[in-house]
Amino acid sequence: MSAPTDLSITEARAALDAKKLSAVELAEPHISASEKAQSKLNAYIQITSELARKQAKESDARRAAGKAGDLDGIPMAIKDLFCTKGVRTTAASKILDNFIPTYESTVTKKLFDAGIVMLGKSNLDEFAMGSSNITSAYGPVVSPWSGADPANSNRKLVPGGSSGGSAALVAGRFAMAATGTDTGGSIRQPASLAGIVGLKPTYGRCSRWGIVAFASSLDQAGPMTRTVADAALMLRVTAGFDEKDSTSVDQPVPDYTTAIGASVKGLKIGIPKEYRIDGMPGEIDALWQKGAAMLRDAGAEIIEISLPHTKYSLAVYYIIAPAEASSNLARYDGVRFGLRVPGENLNGMYENTRGKGFGKEVRRRILIGTYALSAGYYDAYYLKAQKVRRRIRDDFTEAFIKCDLILAPTAPSTAFAIGEKQDDPIQMYLNDVFTVPVNLAGLPGISVPAGLGADGLPLGLQLIGRSFDEMTVLKAASALEKAVSFNHKPPFTA
C-alpha cells in the first residue's frame, strides 16, 4: 500500500474498510506533515491538530460500530471562508481576526456528518478577492511547486487564488482534499496552477449558507482533490437543497461517482473560437489541441462553437463582483462583530475600523463597487453590466444546443512568482479570463491537470457543462484524466 499521504480518498476508503489502516493512522502523517510544512508554505491560517486527532478516534469508533459515513476518517482542509462552529473563521482578514462562529456552514456540516477529519483552516486571498493568494492578512501562500523550474529554482511561486491554501495543501499531499469557493475561478485557477482537480458546481447546487460572502450571485462552494473520482464523491456529499439559503436550488442529487469511467462516445465537445486570445502562450494552445484529440480518441466529437460576448466577461465581472462585495462587506463596521477601532464619533469608528481591518485589494474593490452603485452611475455601469451578463449566459445556452460540453484552457499561464504581478491589478485580473464567464452564467466547470509547461509547472484544462449537468462534466473529466495520466508531484511534498 502507498504511504498514507499519497492515497486518494477512494484508495483511503478502501484501506479503511479493509482494516489495513485506521483513521488515526491516516490522520497522524497528515497532521505531522501539515505542521512541518506550515513554516515553508504558510498554507494554513490555523492548524487544528488536536481536533483532528479527536475526530480520527471518533471515526474509528464509528467504523467499529458499523456506522461509518461516506468520508469517514478522511483528512481534509477547510478554506477559512467556511464558518466552523467553535473554530476561528477569519476570511483571511484582520477585521475578522478573532471571529469564532456559533454556527456551522451547511457544506462543512455535511462533511462533518460524513465523518471527515479537519486538519485546519486553509489560507486564502482576503475575502476571496484575488488570483494568487498574496492578499491574505496572514501572509502569502507559497506553492509546493516552487523550485520545479531548474532555471529559476529560488523563485517562490503563487499557488493561485483565492483558494490557494487549499490547492497547495492538496497538491503537496498535506491534505487529502479541501474545500474551495469559486466566484470568478477561485477553485479552477489554483487547481490548474497546482496540478490538482478543482470542481465548481452549478450556482445553487451547494449551499452558500455559512460561507463568508464575497459576491452573492457568483459565489459557489466546491471540492479540490487529486482525482476526479474524489471530486465526484465530495460533491455527492456536499450538494443538495438548503432551505436556509435563498439561492439554493431544489434539484435531485445524482450519484456522481457513477460518472467515473463512463464512456464519452457520442458526446459533442465544443471549442470556443473566442478563447483563442491574443498573446496566449503556444504551449497552452498546444495542450488545448492535445486535450481535444484525447477526447476525440475516447469517442467524443469535437466541434467549433462561438461565444461572441466573451470579450466583455472580465469588464462585466469587475463591475458586478465589486458592487456585490461593496454591499456584502458593509456589515463589517465594528459594531456587531470582528475588529473595532474607536474614533471620535460613530463615523470615525466606522472609518478607523474599515481602514485598519481591510487590506488594499479589498478596499480597492469596495471603492469600485460603491462607485458603480452610486447615484448617476448605477444605470451606466451596474445595470448595463447585468444586461451584458444576460447576453453572456445566452451565448452558452445557444452553444449547448450544438454541443454537450465545452473544452477550454483553465488559466492563461503556469504559476508566476510571488510579487511578480502584485503592483498591476489589471494583469492580476487577467488570470481569470477563461474562468469568469462560467460564473457569470452560473454553469458547472472542472479543471483537470493536463500536463507540464516548459518550466516544469502544471497546466490545466477545463470542461464546462450545462446547468446541473455535473454528471456529464465528471464523465468527460474522468476520460480526460485517464488519457492524460498526470502523475507529477511538486518538489515539496509530505
Side-chain angles (χ1 to χ4, degrees), residues 292-317:
M294 287 176 171
L295 289 169
R296 184 189 297 114
D297 291 344
E301 180 184 349
I302 308 300
I303 63 171
E304 186 173 271
I305 59 166
S306 178
L307 299 170
H309 293 90
T310 294
K311 61 184 177 182
Y312 303 114
S313 295
L314 280 177
V316 168
Y317 177 83

Short mmCIF file of all heavy atoms in Angstrom, two decimals, residues 292-317:
data_model
loop_
_atom_site.label_atom_id
_atom_site.label_comp_id
_atom_site.label_asym_id
_atom_site.label_seq_id
_atom_site.Cartn_x
_atom_site.Cartn_y
_atom_site.Cartn_z
N ALA A 292 -8.26 18.06 -26.77
CA ALA A 292 -9.37 17.80 -27.69
C ALA A 292 -9.14 16.48 -28.43
O ALA A 292 -10.08 15.68 -28.61
CB ALA A 292 -9.50 18.95 -28.69
N ALA A 293 -7.89 16.24 -28.84
CA ALA A 293 -7.57 14.99 -29.54
C ALA A 293 -7.78 13.77 -28.64
O ALA A 293 -8.27 12.72 -29.09
CB ALA A 293 -6.13 15.04 -30.04
N MET A 294 -7.42 13.91 -27.38
CA MET A 294 -7.62 12.81 -26.42
C MET A 294 -9.10 12.47 -26.27
O MET A 294 -9.48 11.29 -26.24
CB MET A 294 -7.03 13.17 -25.06
CG MET A 294 -5.52 13.16 -25.02
SD MET A 294 -4.92 13.74 -23.40
CE MET A 294 -3.17 13.38 -23.55
N LEU A 295 -9.94 13.49 -26.17
CA LEU A 295 -11.38 13.24 -26.04
C LEU A 295 -11.95 12.67 -27.33
O LEU A 295 -12.86 11.83 -27.31
CB LEU A 295 -12.09 14.53 -25.64
CG LEU A 295 -11.83 14.99 -24.20
CD1 LEU A 295 -12.35 16.40 -23.97
CD2 LEU A 295 -12.46 14.03 -23.19
N ARG A 296 -11.41 13.12 -28.47
CA ARG A 296 -11.83 12.55 -29.75
C ARG A 296 -11.48 11.06 -29.82
O ARG A 296 -12.29 10.24 -30.24
CB ARG A 296 -11.17 13.31 -30.91
CG ARG A 296 -11.65 12.83 -32.30
CD ARG A 296 -10.84 13.44 -33.42
NE ARG A 296 -10.97 14.88 -33.49
CZ ARG A 296 -9.98 15.73 -33.25
NH1 ARG A 296 -8.76 15.28 -32.91
NH2 ARG A 296 -10.17 17.03 -33.34
N ASP A 297 -10.26 10.74 -29.39
CA ASP A 297 -9.83 9.34 -29.40
C ASP A 297 -10.68 8.48 -28.47
O ASP A 297 -10.82 7.27 -28.67
CB ASP A 297 -8.36 9.24 -28.99
CG ASP A 297 -7.41 9.81 -30.04
OD1 ASP A 297 -7.86 10.01 -31.19
OD2 ASP A 297 -6.25 10.09 -29.69
N ALA A 298 -11.24 9.12 -27.42
CA ALA A 298 -12.09 8.39 -26.48
C ALA A 298 -13.51 8.22 -26.99
O ALA A 298 -14.34 7.58 -26.33
CB ALA A 298 -12.10 9.09 -25.12
N GLY A 299 -13.81 8.83 -28.15
CA GLY A 299 -15.12 8.64 -28.76
C GLY A 299 -15.98 9.88 -28.87
O GLY A 299 -17.09 9.84 -29.42
N ALA A 300 -15.50 11.01 -28.36
CA ALA A 300 -16.27 12.25 -28.45
C ALA A 300 -16.08 12.91 -29.81
O ALA A 300 -15.09 12.66 -30.51
CB ALA A 300 -15.85 13.20 -27.33
N GLU A 301 -17.02 13.79 -30.16
CA GLU A 301 -16.92 14.56 -31.40
C GLU A 301 -16.53 15.99 -31.04
O GLU A 301 -17.11 16.60 -30.15
CB GLU A 301 -18.27 14.54 -32.14
CG GLU A 301 -18.26 15.32 -33.44
CD GLU A 301 -19.63 15.37 -34.10
OE1 GLU A 301 -20.54 14.64 -33.66
OE2 GLU A 301 -19.79 16.16 -35.06
N ILE A 302 -15.54 16.53 -31.72
CA ILE A 302 -15.04 17.88 -31.45
C ILE A 302 -15.59 18.83 -32.50
O ILE A 302 -15.43 18.60 -33.71
CB ILE A 302 -13.50 17.93 -31.45
CG1 ILE A 302 -12.92 16.86 -30.51
CG2 ILE A 302 -13.01 19.31 -31.05
CD1 ILE A 302 -13.32 16.98 -29.06
N ILE A 303 -16.24 19.91 -32.05
CA ILE A 303 -16.79 20.89 -32.99
C ILE A 303 -16.40 22.30 -32.53
O ILE A 303 -16.13 22.52 -31.36
CB ILE A 303 -18.32 20.79 -33.11
CG1 ILE A 303 -19.00 21.11 -31.75
CG2 ILE A 303 -18.75 19.42 -33.60
CD1 ILE A 303 -20.51 21.24 -31.85
N GLU A 304 -16.37 23.23 -33.46
CA GLU A 304 -16.09 24.62 -33.11
C GLU A 304 -17.40 25.32 -32.78
O GLU A 304 -18.41 25.12 -33.45
CB GLU A 304 -15.38 25.35 -34.24
CG GLU A 304 -14.95 26.77 -33.85
CD GLU A 304 -14.10 27.47 -34.89
OE1 GLU A 304 -12.87 27.33 -34.86
OE2 GLU A 304 -14.70 28.18 -35.74
N ILE A 305 -17.38 26.15 -31.75
CA ILE A 305 -18.55 26.93 -31.36
C ILE A 305 -18.15 28.39 -31.18
O ILE A 305 -16.96 28.73 -31.18
CB ILE A 305 -19.18 26.41 -30.04
CG1 ILE A 305 -18.17 26.48 -28.90
CG2 ILE A 305 -19.73 25.00 -30.22
CD1 ILE A 305 -18.79 26.32 -27.53
N SER A 306 -19.15 29.23 -31.00
CA SER A 306 -18.88 30.65 -30.78
C SER A 306 -19.56 31.13 -29.51
O SER A 306 -20.72 30.79 -29.24
CB SER A 306 -19.39 31.47 -31.98
OG SER A 306 -19.17 32.85 -31.77
N LEU A 307 -18.82 31.90 -28.72
CA LEU A 307 -19.35 32.58 -27.54
C LEU A 307 -19.03 34.06 -27.73
O LEU A 307 -18.07 34.60 -27.17
CB LEU A 307 -18.70 32.03 -26.26
CG LEU A 307 -18.92 30.54 -25.98
CD1 LEU A 307 -18.04 30.08 -24.82
CD2 LEU A 307 -20.39 30.25 -25.66
N PRO A 308 -19.81 34.76 -28.56
CA PRO A 308 -19.42 36.09 -29.06
C PRO A 308 -19.24 37.17 -28.02
O PRO A 308 -18.51 38.14 -28.25
CB PRO A 308 -20.54 36.44 -30.03
CG PRO A 308 -21.68 35.54 -29.69
CD PRO A 308 -21.07 34.29 -29.16
N HIS A 309 -19.88 37.05 -26.86
CA HIS A 309 -19.76 38.11 -25.86
C HIS A 309 -18.66 37.85 -24.83
O HIS A 309 -18.56 38.56 -23.82
CB HIS A 309 -21.10 38.32 -25.15
CG HIS A 309 -22.16 38.88 -26.06
ND1 HIS A 309 -23.00 38.08 -26.79
CD2 HIS A 309 -22.49 40.17 -26.38
CE1 HIS A 309 -23.82 38.83 -27.50
NE2 HIS A 309 -23.53 40.09 -27.27
N THR A 310 -17.83 36.84 -25.09
CA THR A 310 -16.74 36.50 -24.17
C THR A 310 -15.86 37.70 -23.86
O THR A 310 -15.42 37.88 -22.71
CB THR A 310 -15.88 35.36 -24.77
OG1 THR A 310 -16.68 34.18 -24.85
CG2 THR A 310 -14.66 35.09 -23.92
N LYS A 311 -15.58 38.53 -24.85
CA LYS A 311 -14.64 39.65 -24.67
C LYS A 311 -15.12 40.65 -23.61
O LYS A 311 -14.32 41.45 -23.13
CB LYS A 311 -14.40 40.35 -25.99
CG LYS A 311 -15.64 40.96 -26.63
CD LYS A 311 -15.32 41.55 -28.00
CE LYS A 311 -16.56 42.10 -28.68
NZ LYS A 311 -16.25 42.63 -30.04
N TYR A 312 -16.39 40.62 -23.28
CA TYR A 312 -16.91 41.55 -22.28
C TYR A 312 -16.90 40.96 -20.86
O TYR A 312 -17.23 41.67 -19.90
CB TYR A 312 -18.34 41.98 -22.64
CG TYR A 312 -18.48 42.60 -24.00
CD1 TYR A 312 -19.22 41.96 -25.00
CD2 TYR A 312 -17.85 43.81 -24.31
CE1 TYR A 312 -19.35 42.51 -26.26
CE2 TYR A 312 -17.98 44.37 -25.58
CZ TYR A 312 -18.73 43.72 -26.54
OH TYR A 312 -18.85 44.28 -27.79
N SER A 313 -16.55 39.69 -20.74
CA SER A 313 -16.72 38.99 -19.47
C SER A 313 -15.96 39.63 -18.31
O SER A 313 -16.52 39.83 -17.23
CB SER A 313 -16.30 37.52 -19.61
OG SER A 313 -17.14 36.85 -20.50
N LEU A 314 -14.67 39.92 -18.52
CA LEU A 314 -13.88 40.48 -17.42
C LEU A 314 -14.42 41.84 -17.00
O LEU A 314 -14.50 42.14 -15.80
CB LEU A 314 -12.41 40.60 -17.83
CG LEU A 314 -11.58 39.32 -17.74
CD1 LEU A 314 -10.17 39.59 -18.24
CD2 LEU A 314 -11.53 38.79 -16.31
N ALA A 315 -14.79 42.68 -17.97
CA ALA A 315 -15.33 44.00 -17.64
C ALA A 315 -16.62 43.88 -16.84
O ALA A 315 -16.83 44.59 -15.85
CB ALA A 315 -15.56 44.81 -18.91
N VAL A 316 -17.49 42.96 -17.28
CA VAL A 316 -18.76 42.73 -16.57
C VAL A 316 -18.50 42.22 -15.16
O VAL A 316 -19.10 42.71 -14.18
CB VAL A 316 -19.63 41.73 -17.37
CG1 VAL A 316 -20.81 41.24 -16.54
CG2 VAL A 316 -20.12 42.38 -18.65
N TYR A 317 -17.60 41.24 -15.06
CA TYR A 317 -17.31 40.66 -13.75
C TYR A 317 -16.76 41.70 -12.78
O TYR A 317 -17.16 41.75 -11.61
CB TYR A 317 -16.30 39.51 -13.91
CG TYR A 317 -15.87 38.90 -12.59
CD1 TYR A 317 -16.65 37.92 -11.98
CD2 TYR A 317 -14.70 39.30 -11.95
CE1 TYR A 317 -16.27 37.35 -10.78
CE2 TYR A 317 -14.31 38.73 -10.75
CZ TYR A 317 -15.09 37.77 -10.16
OH TYR A 317 -14.72 37.22 -8.96
#
